[in-house]
Amino acid sequence: MSLLPELLQAVLLTLFASASAIHIGLARRGYGEPQQPALFCALLAFGLAAGIGASALARLAFGLDTFEAERWLLRATLLLGLPLIALVALTFARQWTWSRPAWGRAVLGLCAFFELARLLDWSDPYALTLGLLSALVVIHAGLLQWPARPQTAAGIAGGALLLAALPWTGLRIGENPLAAYQQFCLALACPVMAWFVLKLPANPGGEGIEQT
């Protein structure tokens, strides 16, 4: 039994993910055109996470039949949202500039594999593999910021929280011991990842908008 009630986890995820999406949305105004597609993808990732919390909140607090929507949004977050936020962190950390068509192809490719995995009943192993890669990419982006300790710590913490939120379906070591706290882990990951992304040196040859 979870020590943190599901309803409280849903409330925290809704609030933290929504606040992160709003923070990214407001911060976009200060970035140049080359960074807009990446920030939109980050906004999409946080929006999906907020949708999980809102669906769970509607089900647990008001008795609405939103369980299927909650499951779909969780799958979309694991198979689309997490890889997108990892790509944003990587491109900003390495000061790469991807065009709008490149980001569009990334989103479409992830959506296509999302649907293919569902049709072939590979959703669980695919989600685990993609989630592990996404978390490692975020940790790598954080390590690239050394010796900037706050950014490095945020990248490592964000990657660790993403790892903690993954379902360990199919692994011989058993269930994820933090499975009952999945939404709480996602809730904690959202503000950490939003802060981390906005502290990265997104502009080639310059500092990120919120770099101090």
Side-chain angles (χ1 to χ4, degrees), residues 22-98:
I22 292 171
H23 188 38
I24 291 287
L26 293 174
R28 288 180 67 195
R29 301 173 184 175
Y31 281 82
E33 176 61 26
Q35 286 75 45
Q36 293 303 317
L39 291 171
F40 176 80
C41 288
L43 189 63
L44 174 61
F46 293 126
L48 289 171
I52 299 171
S55 298
L57 183 60
R59 174 175 59 86
L60 296 167
F62 304 107
L64 300 179
D65 185 15
T66 58
F67 184 69
E68 286 303 318
E70 185 183 340
R71 283 184 58 191
W72 188 91
L73 286 165
L74 178 59
R75 285 291 180 201
T77 299
L78 294 175
L79 301 179
L80 178 62
L82 298 193
L84 282 178
I85 199 68
L87 284 175
V88 173
L90 180 63
T91 56
F92 278 19
R94 292 223 170 247
Q95 300 188 37
W96 294 339
T97 301
W98 287 11

Side-chain angles (χ1 to χ4, degrees), residues 69-154:
E70 185 183 340
R71 283 184 58 191
W72 188 91
L73 286 165
L74 178 59
R75 285 291 180 201
T77 299
L78 294 175
L79 301 179
L80 178 62
L82 298 193
L84 282 178
I85 199 68
L87 284 175
V88 173
L90 180 63
T91 56
F92 278 19
R94 292 223 170 247
Q95 300 188 37
W96 294 339
T97 301
W98 287 11
S99 65
R100 285 183 182 272
W103 280 107
R105 286 191 291 270
V107 172
L108 289 176
L110 287 169
C111 288
F113 280 108
F114 175 12
E115 182 62 16
L116 181 62
R118 187 187 68 82
L119 291 174
L120 297 176
D121 199 25
W122 291 348
S123 291
D124 288 338
Y126 178 59
L128 177 60
T129 302
L130 200 56
L132 286 171
L133 290 174
S134 299
L136 291 175
V137 166
V138 170
I139 292 172
H140 170 70
L143 293 175
L144 289 175
Q145 303 313 300
W146 185 263
R149 293 183 180 179
Q151 288 89 329
T152 300

Side-chain angles (χ1 to χ4, degrees), residues 174-185:
E175 292 287 331
N176 183 346
L178 296 175
Y181 305 97
Q182 183 179 48
Q183 291 193 18
F184 182 58
C185 291

Side-chain angles (χ1 to χ4, degrees), residues 167-177:
W168 293 2
T169 307
L171 292 184
R172 294 183 179 179
I173 59 176
E175 292 287 331
N176 183 346

